[in-house]
Amino acid sequence: MFISTDYLATQYGVHETIADFFVEREPPTNNLYWKDKLLYLRPQPGYLFIPVIVDTLYKLGIDKNILLSDVFINLLEKIGHIAALEETNQLTKEEGIEQCILLTKDKVINKNFYAALTDYMKGGSNNFIHEMLYPFSALHRGDIFLFSVTVLDFDDEVAKKIIAYWFAIISSFLMLDDAQDVEIDKKTGDENAFLQCGLDKDGIERIKNILGQNLTTLKIFNKPLARTIDNQFVKMATLPHIQQYLNY
């Protein structure tokens, strides 16, 4: 499926300039995240989240030109490469974090945010991010990309919104992905929020509560995105292994 500017704008609420930038962008070379990909964007969470997150940062008041600059986009893509190395077991999680720290430590603007992020990513709890975590670790795979925002200029109040909105977006995308992959992830042992919840009535109820909270958050800053994800949740409920637990 080709991801168009109009699709991103109407279905995901992405500013047209930002949407067009990513639709037209070529996949970076020598980057494992885009290895063998002919298009920059694909209809998968790991790619759709990029324009959505950049648009969200724009909605939070960060200059669009800075967000689309080589400095920021190249950093985001380098972190994607590190994430892919980790995904393919060529790096440990700890090594990936250290590489991201090396990429960003000399470019940091908001020192408080950076200190909180590095503490969180290293497993610490002495930070404001820890208080905002979801109950399933599967919903936090990909948090390494948060290092990209450390080079942007924002205050501590906006920092909390960035984390809240980021978590709501990414966890929603990941839950939709996990719903499709339950049986595959059972066999591979990959992290999956539905498997972590137990896939029983109590666990599914916890998932439903997270989804509901996410939609409430998404509606604050991006109603088209909230509507699209809500519609996808409804379709998700028709999957045989989930339908028996959900009541739509």
Side-chain angles (χ1 to χ4, degrees), residues 134 168 206-218:
Y134 288 83
R206 294 177 74 188
I207 291 284
K208 287 175 65 177
N209 288 338
I210 293 171
L211 298 181
Q213 292 168 10
N214 282 356
L215 290 174
T216 298
T217 300
L218 296 176

Side-chain angles (χ1 to χ4, degrees), residues 55-123:
D55 176 77
T56 301
L57 294 169
Y58 168 66
K59 285 178 168 63
L60 283 168
I62 298 174
D63 191 315
K64 183 164 72 271
N65 293 322
I66 292 174
L67 291 170
L68 301 181
S69 68
D70 287 342
V71 172
F72 180 70
I73 297 300
N74 289 343
L75 174 60
L76 187 68
E77 292 170 352
K78 287 177 182 177
I79 293 173
H81 180 67
I82 292 170
L85 288 171
E86 184 183 326
E87 178 71 18
T88 54
N89 298 315
Q90 298 179 59
L91 284 179
T92 66
K93 178 180 178 180
E94 292 72 23
E95 289 169 340
I97 291 168
E98 289 303 319
Q99 287 204 14
C100 288
I101 289 173
L102 287 174
L103 278 175
T104 56
K105 66 178 182 178
D106 296 328
K107 305 180 184 73
V108 173
I109 295 178
N110 187 314
K111 304 294 185 182
N112 291 335
F113 179 80
Y114 193 69
L117 179 62
T118 52
D119 183 71
Y120 160 61
M121 292 300 295
K122 289 184 175 184

Side-chain angles (χ1 to χ4, degrees), residues 1-16 18-24 41-42 47-52 55 59 173 222 224-225 228:
M1 174 184 173
F2 173 73
I3 305 299
S4 68
T5 296
D6 184 65
Y7 178 77
L8 287 174
T10 59
Q11 298 300 309
Y12 290 88
V14 177
H15 188 283
E16 287 191 5
I18 295 172
D20 191 57
F21 175 88
F22 289 107
V23 167
E24 297 296 328
L41 296 178
R42 298 169 61 82
Y47 299 92
L48 286 175
F49 97 91
I50 296 174
V52 171
D55 176 77
K59 285 178 168 63
F173 281 165
N222 192 331
L225 175 62
T228 293

